[in-house]
Amino acid sequence: MSTEFNELLPVSATDQSQIWIIGTREQVLHTINEFYVKRIATDRVKFTPIIPAPFEGKYMSVLVR
């Protein structure tokens, strides 16, 4: 990925694990809600905002655990 794209992510390069969710806006939002209901993520704040992905018509969010 390009440096410009990496700078858009508010996630630092630490030792924390990350789960990247990529899909349509509806798929990403549904997966975020599913992770919250199944308690994979204890708080929605742990997800980055949904942003356009470098793939045409796709969006993404990152869960930092």
Side-chain angles (χ1 to χ4, degrees):
M1 289 191 197
S2 68
T3 304
E4 298 89 29
F5 182 73
N6 288 335
E7 290 172 357
L8 292 175
L9 295 174
V11 180
S12 62
T14 64
D15 292 329
Q16 296 174 324
S17 63
Q18 299 176 357
I19 299 173
W20 290 52
I21 304 166
I22 300 173
T24 65
R25 181 177 285 278
E26 292 78 21
Q27 290 170 330
V28 172
L29 187 56
H30 177 75
T31 304
I32 289 172
N33 290 333
E34 185 177 8
F35 280 13
Y36 180 71
V37 169
K38 291 183 177 181
R39 300 195 187 275
I40 295 171
T42 56
D43 193 356
R44 286 187 173 95
V45 173
K46 296 188 179 204
F47 290 95
T48 62
I50 297 174
I51 59 171
F55 312 108
E56 186 174 330
K58 300 292 182 179
Y59 292 86
M60 66 181 287
S61 180
V62 179
L63 168 62
V64 179
R65 300 186 71 193

